[in-house]
């Protein structure tokens, strides 16, 4: 069933029209967003939504985010809009913030994987907005990677994972943010951060005052517990190589990695900190530049596979601001394996 001759469309008017027309026919199209590329389908068409799960190899119990292009498209999808959501939407939409609401009868079970809630976001990427608006329906879209691998931040990454599995990819250049949206649950008394992303906890608190950070953000899910966000329980964002996070100064990191050098050993480090490493390395932004780390972290994880590493020691980022999202993704790609170096 996956025998498409996958086409690369430009993010121009023709490409946008073509994408919208495929989506209206119930087909899947990978689209650029400011966070990562999404694998989109008409969110109101259960058959189209099921195809997303098949093309990605995604577990059936992991719900999808619904993307809208206009605030007036929110109301029909939810049963109520809490005040916090209204204020957050006003401040951070369009942008990298996903909010969880109680869902209305319009949202198919397939989108929410059987939950009574629905995740909604309005992306800020002009090509994404144009495609949603031209398609005339909300679009369900997870990240456009094969389940388990790093999220795609270029059309080339999507092609690598999805060639033959979908009819088209719209190329909108590199995703500027580089990590997925912040996921915020607004169905309880206090807003709960389920996944850190482009909008930081400080930015949310500036609007809501209160915010609970779910324990799954920086911790491992206990076996058998029910996660607030189903996506948190899966191993994620992983290259083929085994990733190990290493906390410490540049000097301590260099000495530690060099003590491990050997066949198949590589490093992922900050810009300008690789000169003394005796193993192949890739960099992912400056030590004090979390926005650049976010922009490059998934590409760096993909480049690790190109150098055929077996084990990669990755310099651990500071979990502040958008750095919390970078840390959260790397912790998952490392399967929570962290080495803390004594200084
Ligand atoms: O930036 C993004 O959010 C990208 C772009 C394409 O918009 N999308 C994305 O989708 O990252 P995905 O499917 O890779 O991640 C969605 C996350 C998952 O962790 C999922 O479990 C959670 O959102 N989620 C979706 N619906 C939910 C719900 N009703 N309740 C709790 N968590 C939900
Ligand atoms: Mg994903």
């Amino acid at each position: 069933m996956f025998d498409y001759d996958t086409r690369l469309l430009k993010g121009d008017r023709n490409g946008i029209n073509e994408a919208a027309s495929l989506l209206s026919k119930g087909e899947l199209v990978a689209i650029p967003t400011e966070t990562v590329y999404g694998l989109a389908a008409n969110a109101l068409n259960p058959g189209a939504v099921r195809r997303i799960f098949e093309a990605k190899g995604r577990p059936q119990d992991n719900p999808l985010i619904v993307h809208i292009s206009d605030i007036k498209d929110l109301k029909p999808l939810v049963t109520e809009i809490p005040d916090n959501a209204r204020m957050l939407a006003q401040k951070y939409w369009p942008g990298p913030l996903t909010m969880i609401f109680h869902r209305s009868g319009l949202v198919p079970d397939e989108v929410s994987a059987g939950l009574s809630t629905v995740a909604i976001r309005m992306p800020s990427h002009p090509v994404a907005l144009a495609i949603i608006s031209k398609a005339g329906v909300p679009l369900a879209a997870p990240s456009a990677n094969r389940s388990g691998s790093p999220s795609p931040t270029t059309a080339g990454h999507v092609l690598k994972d999805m060639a033959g599995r979908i009819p088209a990819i719209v190329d909108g250049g590199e995703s500027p943010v580089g990590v997925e949206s912040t996921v915020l649950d607004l169905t309880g008394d206090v807003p709960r951060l389920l996944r850190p992303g482009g909008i930081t906890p400080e930015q949310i608190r500036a609007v809501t005052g209160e915010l609970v950070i779910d324990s799954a953000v920086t911790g491992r899910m206990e076996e058998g517990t029910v996660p607030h966000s189903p996506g948190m329980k899966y191993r994620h964002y992983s290259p083929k190589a085994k990733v190990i996070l290493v906390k410490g100064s540049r000097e301590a990191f260099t000495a530690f990695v060099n003590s491990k050098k050997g066949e198949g050993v590589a490093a992922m480090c900050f810009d300008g900190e690789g000169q003394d490493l005796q193993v192949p390395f890739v960099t992912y932004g400056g030590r004090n530049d979390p926005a650049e780390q976010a922009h490059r972290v998934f590409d760096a994880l993909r480049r690790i596979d190109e150098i055929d590493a077996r084990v990669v020691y990755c310099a651990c980022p500071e979990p502040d601001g958008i750095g919390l999202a970078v840390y959260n993704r790397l912790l998952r790609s490392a399967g929570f394996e962290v080495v803390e170096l004594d200084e």
Side-chain angles (χ1 to χ4, degrees):
M1 69 170 289
F2 296 124
D3 56 356
Y4 290 102
D5 183 10
T6 305
R7 292 167 56 208
L8 263 185
L9 304 175
K10 291 207 183 90
D12 57 10
R13 189 189 298 206
N14 280 345
I16 288 163
N17 287 344
E18 185 90 13
S21 144
L22 284 164
L23 289 161
S24 325
K25 290 183 206 142
E27 295 278 6
L28 306 185
V29 180
I31 64 168
T33 87
E34 75 281 19
T35 56
V36 302
Y37 276 68
L39 183 58
N42 175 354
L44 307 182
N45 176 338
V49 173
R50 277 196 294 272
R51 287 184 167 183
I52 293 180
F53 288 85
E54 289 161 14
K56 269 187 71 104
R58 183 179 176 100
Q60 295 288 344
D61 65 348
N62 196 4
L64 305 176
I65 296 172
V66 175
H67 297 70
I68 59 175
S69 61
D70 192 307
I71 191 73
K72 74 174 172 7
D73 300 332
L74 174 62
K75 205 164 168 218
L77 299 168
V78 305
T79 59
E80 64 171 318
I81 303 176
D83 288 342
N84 273 332
R86 234 177 261 285
M87 293 188 292
L88 286 163
Q90 197 159 41
K91 188 137 177 129
Y92 300 122
W93 276 2
L97 175 66
T98 295
M99 294 190 270
I100 312 277
F101 299 87
H102 290 290
R103 72 172 157 130
S104 75
L106 195 62
V107 180
D109 288 343
E110 281 79 358
V111 168
S112 286
L115 297 177
S116 61
T117 52
V118 61
I120 300 185
R121 108 172 172 95
M122 189 193 300
S124 64
H125 197 294
V127 175
L129 287 171
I131 293 172
I132 301 165
S133 136
K134 189 83 200 173
V137 285
L139 298 181
S143 49
N145 51 291
R146 292 289 287 274
S147 204
S149 59
S151 297
T153 54
T154 67
H157 293 164
V158 181
L159 192 62
K160 193 136 204 207
D161 279 20
M162 290 294 166
R165 304 177 78 85
I166 56 174
I169 300 167
V170 181
D171 189 347
E174 286 181 19
S175 295
V177 177
V179 291
E180 305 88 337
S181 61
T182 301
V183 178
L184 186 67
D185 186 353
L186 292 167
T187 62
D189 292 338
V190 180
R192 176 182 286 268
L193 181 74
L194 300 183
R195 179 176 75 179
I199 299 293
T200 65
E202 298 72 39
Q203 287 175 300
I204 296 168
R205 283 201 182 97
V207 173
T208 65
E210 295 177 299
L211 176 68
V212 172
I213 312 264
D214 196 85
S215 58
V217 168
T218 54
R220 193 199 288 266
M221 292 287 313
E222 293 288 329
E223 206 65 48
T225 51
V226 178
H228 286 99
S229 182
M232 289 294 187
K233 70 185 176 207
Y234 300 108
R235 190 182 153 109
H236 248 140
Y237 316 117
S238 307
K240 291 186 201 80
K242 179 180 170 61
V243 179
I244 298 171
L245 264 182
V246 181
K247 271 188 197 166
S249 64
R250 173 187 178 174
E251 293 70 26
F253 178 78
T254 304
F256 176 79
V257 172
N258 288 345
S259 77
K260 302 282 182 187
K261 76 176 169 199
E263 181 72 25
V265 176
M268 196 164 132
C269 66
F270 299 116
D271 288 352
E273 299 195 1
Q275 291 91 323
D276 299 327
L277 289 172
Q278 294 160 9
V279 302
F281 64 89
V282 301
T283 64
Y284 75 104
R287 184 177 281 269
N288 298 314
D289 189 350
E292 179 69 9
Q293 292 166 19
H295 178 64
R296 284 170 42 202
V297 66
F298 286 136
D299 182 63
L301 286 170
R302 282 173 180 262
R303 279 189 292 128
I304 287 292
D305 279 340
E306 287 163 18
I307 58 177
D308 269 337
R310 191 176 39 79
V311 184
V312 53
Y313 293 100
C314 176
C316 189
E318 287 298 327
D320 300 324
I322 194 172
L324 180 63
V326 181
Y327 176 67
N328 167 278
R329 304 311 188 271
L330 285 172
L331 256 186
R332 278 171 175 69
S333 65
F336 294 90
E337 195 165 336
V338 184
V339 175
E340 301 209 24
L341 301 176
D342 296 328
E343 301 284 332

